[in-house]
Amino acid sequence: MRKTIKILTFTLVIAIMLVALAIPSLATNSDNLVVDKENIFTSYQEEVLQTTLYSISKKHQCEIVVVTTRGFGSSSAQEYAENYYISHGYGYGSDFSGVLLLISESERYYYICTSGKGEEAISGPAFKKLSNEVKSLLSEGQYYEASQKFAQMCDEALVSYAENGKPFDTSAFITGIIISAVIGIVASIITILVLKHKMNNARPQKHASYYERDNSFDLRVANDIYLYSTIRKTPRPKSNSSSGSRGGGRSFGGGGGRF
């Protein structure tokens, strides 16, 4: 009898522990936040990434998702990402706030889909910076690092949005560069003026003969020889981003491209 009670107690404890471990998954508004259809993550990487995404999502009430897939079927990457977001119930609140990173190693293509608070917080310069950082790591085959970078930058953008009520802007950074450039130019001008002032031992001459030495210049033959010319044409790059698209009656922002 005692042995039976011990077994039942042990089983009950295990069941409680399993329920407790399942709570974080149930607390999200949707399925897993990491869906690795291409198996580009190890089990450990997927587990760590899932924990990271869940923590950020809960913190900002904005679901951060990473999905990998071998192809998009008959859809574009944008359509695939937006339809996947809708069909799997991602997003917090009535505006379905969230950000989804879609990666296809087979297609060498990525797409970032934003919705609700995610669209408001990550747009303009903030989105461009996020997209460029993710693309750079994906191009090097660092898929896990790109996903972690994606999560980190989403967190930073959402913190900035919560504090300032607007997306992160690079204007302050650009202003700093301009100020530094102006300071450098002014310092250069001052240096030149000082050096010019010190060069007071020279006097202007009215005739060029003062500077000429006798028999120092003897030009006998002069020819103009045309060698060649080179013309290069560089095609203007096309933008691969999009914003304000609509999927399933919802408004989405985002963009992507090849890596």
Side-chain angles (χ1 to χ4, degrees), residues 21-195:
L21 290 173
I23 289 175
S25 300
L26 298 173
T28 60
N29 294 353
S30 54
D31 299 344
N32 289 335
L33 300 181
V34 181
V35 182
D36 185 18
K37 295 182 179 180
E38 277 201 296
N39 295 319
I40 60 178
F41 305 132
T42 65
S43 298
Y44 175 75
Q45 288 175 338
E46 187 173 341
E47 182 179 346
V48 173
L49 186 58
Q50 171 73 26
T51 302
T52 300
L53 296 180
Y54 173 77
S55 176
I56 297 172
S57 300
K58 185 177 180 182
K59 174 183 175 182
H60 298 288
Q61 296 293 288
C62 181
E63 212 146 39
I64 312 301
V65 187
V66 174
V67 177
T68 75
T69 183
R70 293 188 181 279
F72 312 124
S74 59
S75 304
S76 66
Q78 176 183 346
E79 291 170 340
Y80 187 98
E82 293 176 355
N83 290 335
Y84 196 94
Y85 190 96
I86 294 170
S87 63
H88 288 76
Y90 289 120
Y92 273 89
S94 59
D95 59 355
F96 303 98
S97 295
V99 187
L100 183 147
L101 169 62
L102 176 66
I103 303 172
S104 176
E105 181 185 28
S106 304
E107 299 286 343
R108 301 292 294 178
Y109 207 98
Y110 77 101
Y111 192 87
I112 300 174
C113 170
T114 60
S115 177
K117 188 190 297 182
E119 184 179 0
E120 295 172 2
I122 308 173
S123 61
F127 180 85
K128 185 176 181 180
K129 182 179 180 183
L130 170 64
S131 182
N132 288 341
E133 291 284 350
V134 170
K135 179 181 178 180
S136 177
L137 290 169
L138 291 176
S139 299
E140 298 173 0
Q142 300 183 37
Y143 302 110
Y144 175 70
E145 291 77 5
S147 300
Q148 284 286 9
K149 189 68 174 180
F150 163 74
Q152 174 196 334
M153 293 187 70
C154 283
D155 184 25
E156 292 172 354
L158 288 164
V159 167
S160 177
Y161 180 76
E163 293 175 349
N164 305 314
K166 59 182 180 180
F168 170 77
D169 195 351
T170 56
S171 59
F173 176 71
I174 295 173
T175 301
I177 293 176
I178 293 174
I179 292 174
S180 298
V182 170
I183 292 173
I185 292 171
V186 171
S188 300
I189 292 173
I190 293 174
T191 302
I192 292 171
L193 292 175
V194 171
L195 292 174

